[in-house]
Amino acid sequence: MRLFPASLAGRTVLLVIAVIAVAEIATFSLLGHFRRSSHVNQTVQLIAGQVRLLQVVLPGLGDDARQALSAADAGEQGLQLRPDGSGVPTHQPLFPFARRLAKDLTERLGEPVLLRHGGPGQRSGLWIGFMAGNERWWLLLPPPRFEPQALPSDLWWFLALTLAAVLLIAGLFVHGIVGPLARLGDAVAATGDGAARTATPEGPREVRRLAERHNTMLGQLAAAAAERREMLAGLTHDLRAPLTRLRLRLALLTGDQQGSGDCAGLVRDVDDMERIVGQCLAFLRSEHPEGAALAPLLIATLLQEAVSRQRELGRAVELTVSAAAAQCRVAMTPGNLQRLLDNLIDNALQHGAPPVEVQLVRDSAGVVALRVRDHGPGIAGADRGRALEPFAQLEPARATDGSCGLGLAIVRRIVTGCGGELLLADAPGGGLEVLVRLPAR
């Protein structure tokens, strides 16, 4: 069970709420203590003044005057005078107000005072006994004068508005901290997915520095990637010249009957080497330059041309284009579309089985779906993720047939550069189905 929110914003807001709650509790405690102390002091001053006055006046009054004085009704908030024996309760109160009142009155009057109450749960007045001459008299303090008093409603509204204002200010500060962090996190996640994205330095100083270092890292990665592409492109291009010379020399040796078997094997090796070099060049050329705009093209027309070229080579390729997809356009260069289809068909024929079925449809979400399926053994679900990685060889035997494991990696790079999605699945009836989803323009 998690006690705290997972997000930084949630934890920060929780911290602010906790701090405000502690501050409010402390404020209420101080207000309550001040109100209770002030109320006790005022009550002590009132009762002490009344007792001193009565101690002077009562001994000189006659019986009629005393009865009239004790019978007078001081109202719900005032003190009432009662003679001893006039229904005084016997319970000694122990609640905090009574103890504090007895202590302060004793100190103020210089003599002990008696307190009596109706008992727990009884809403009766507080009886305060004092001596006037040789007689004991009682002052009756009504309940509204000593019961705990609620805070004024205006104070509650003020505290509520203060809490709302503090939460609003805290929310603005949290948004100013978490917002730049969230955008930086999105930029880092996009970079990890292969779509490098810079982050705008904003927010607190530490977040700005982190965004600047992220942008610096992107520049360094881009420079390293450009250097790698240039090196690999030059290497694969330079390899074609000696391969061509080697093929020419092998062609001159084919007339030698003694070495014809060896020459045939060497020719196959040269073909495999040329195929590997071609795949490496296609992999490098399939990368979409950062910041370059892609012009939308009519995918159905170029797809039919690409399939026609495959059929001219004698390959069993079948094409189906739905009416809804016939006029769809996608952001892809003609060269990349040809590389995409050639690699899918080559992969299907080399590792699957003919015929290869190509289908182009458009779904209700405005996405163009290109399906290419074969009738071979397919790829196990656990190996499909690895099959999309560059230079991945699912079977060791594939490394000896002129393949370097770049076919599906080239397709994924092209599809990702167009903002699409590449999925591998089992085809109905057996075989592998490669689904390419591209946003329609």
Side-chain angles (χ1 to χ4, degrees):
M1 180 179 178
R2 187 165 56 192
L3 298 178
F4 299 101
S7 64
L8 176 61
R11 295 193 177 192
T12 306
V13 171
L14 181 62
L15 175 62
V16 171
I17 293 176
V19 171
I20 293 176
V22 172
E24 294 290 347
I25 292 174
T27 301
F28 275 99
S29 299
L30 290 175
L31 284 175
H33 177 74
F34 175 77
R35 286 173 59 85
R36 288 191 297 272
S37 299
S38 176
H39 180 58
V40 171
N41 290 334
Q42 293 177 1
T43 306
V44 167
Q45 292 178 3
L46 173 64
I47 295 176
Q50 292 286 341
V51 168
R52 289 196 180 98
L53 178 62
L54 291 173
Q55 286 177 337
V56 174
V57 172
L58 286 174
L61 293 178
D63 293 339
D64 294 339
R66 291 184 180 186
Q67 290 179 359
L69 186 61
S70 62
D73 188 1
E76 189 174 315
Q77 296 291 331
L79 292 172
Q80 301 179 28
L81 181 65
R82 296 289 186 270
D84 193 21
S86 58
V88 180
T90 59
H91 181 75
Q92 185 175 358
L94 298 177
F95 49 90
F97 178 85
R99 293 198 300 268
R100 175 81 179 274
L101 183 65
K103 177 177 175 296
D104 291 353
L105 280 177
T106 300
E107 293 177 356
R108 181 69 63 91
L109 296 174
E111 63 182 61
V113 295
L114 299 179
L115 296 182
R116 295 292 183 266
H117 188 257
Q122 299 292 326
R123 194 175 185 275
S124 60
L126 186 62
W127 296 72
I128 304 168
F130 64 94
M131 297 299 297
N134 296 324
E135 297 178 280
R136 180 172 299 278
W137 289 81
W138 297 87
L139 282 175
L140 179 59
L141 186 66
R145 296 299 300 268
F146 66 86
E147 288 181 347
Q149 298 181 359
L151 292 175
S153 58
D154 294 344
L155 181 60
W156 285 104
W157 282 109
F158 174 76
L159 292 176
L161 293 176
T162 302
L163 177 61
V166 171
L167 286 177
L168 177 61
I169 295 173
L172 293 176
F173 273 94
V174 170
H175 179 73
I177 297 174
V178 177
L181 276 178
R183 288 185 285 272
L184 177 59
D186 294 339
V188 172
T191 302
D193 293 336
R197 185 196 303 174
T198 59
T200 303
E202 56 181 341
R205 180 177 58 188
E206 291 79 4
V207 180
R208 294 198 305 269
R209 288 180 178 176
L210 188 58
E212 292 169 355
R213 292 175 183 175
H214 170 75
N215 296 338
T216 302
M217 180 191 68
L218 287 184
Q220 295 172 347
L221 291 176
E227 183 179 357
R228 174 180 59 85
R229 288 194 301 270
E230 183 178 356
M231 180 186 65
L232 291 177
L235 177 62
T236 52
H237 182 270
D238 293 341
L239 281 176
R240 285 195 162 184
L243 285 174
T244 303
R245 293 193 298 269
L246 181 58
R247 180 181 292 278
L248 178 61
R249 291 174 181 174
L250 288 174
L252 295 176
L253 292 175
T254 54
D256 187 359
Q257 298 297 326
Q258 295 179 355
S260 60
D262 295 335
C263 287
L266 290 174
V267 170
R268 287 194 300 270
D269 291 341
V270 171
D271 291 338
D272 291 343
M273 293 173 66
E274 283 187 336
R275 190 179 298 111
I276 292 174
V277 171
Q279 285 186 344
C280 290
L281 285 174
F283 182 72
L284 294 174
R285 291 169 180 167
S286 64
E287 185 171 3
H288 177 59
E290 187 69 25
L294 293 174
L297 58 86
L298 198 61
I299 186 174
T301 301
L302 295 178
L303 188 60
Q304 290 170 353
E305 295 175 357
V307 171
S308 297
R309 288 192 296 268
Q310 294 290 336
R311 289 173 178 172
E312 291 174 358
L313 298 175
R315 297 181 172 182
V317 181
E318 301 174 0
L319 175 63
T320 303
V321 179
S322 68
Q327 301 300 321
C328 289
R329 296 178 179 271
V330 295
M332 184 184 299
T333 63
N336 272 347
L337 177 59
Q338 182 177 347
R339 294 187 191 98
L340 182 146
L341 187 61
D342 288 345
N343 280 278
L344 287 178
I345 294 177
D346 288 343
N347 186 78
L349 292 174
Q350 187 174 3
H351 305 298
V356 176
E357 300 175 2
V358 181
Q359 183 184 23
L360 183 68
V361 297
R362 177 175 181 174
D363 60 18
S364 58
V367 175
V368 177
L370 174 64
R371 291 184 174 88
V372 179
R373 67 155 296 180
D374 59 55
H375 294 77
I379 299 177
D383 295 332
R384 290 172 186 168
R386 191 161 60 92
L388 300 177
E389 298 296 330
F391 305 104
Q393 297 286 354
L394 300 183
E395 299 176 6
R398 295 186 178 185
T400 62
D401 60 359
S403 174
C404 59
L406 285 176
L408 291 177
I410 293 173
V411 174
R412 184 176 72 164
R413 173 173 286 189
I414 295 173
V415 172
T416 303
C418 299
E421 181 182 16
L422 176 63
L423 300 173
L424 303 181
D426 293 326
L432 178 68
E433 181 180 86
V434 181
L435 174 61
V436 177
R437 293 170 54 85
L438 299 171
R441 299 296 179 90

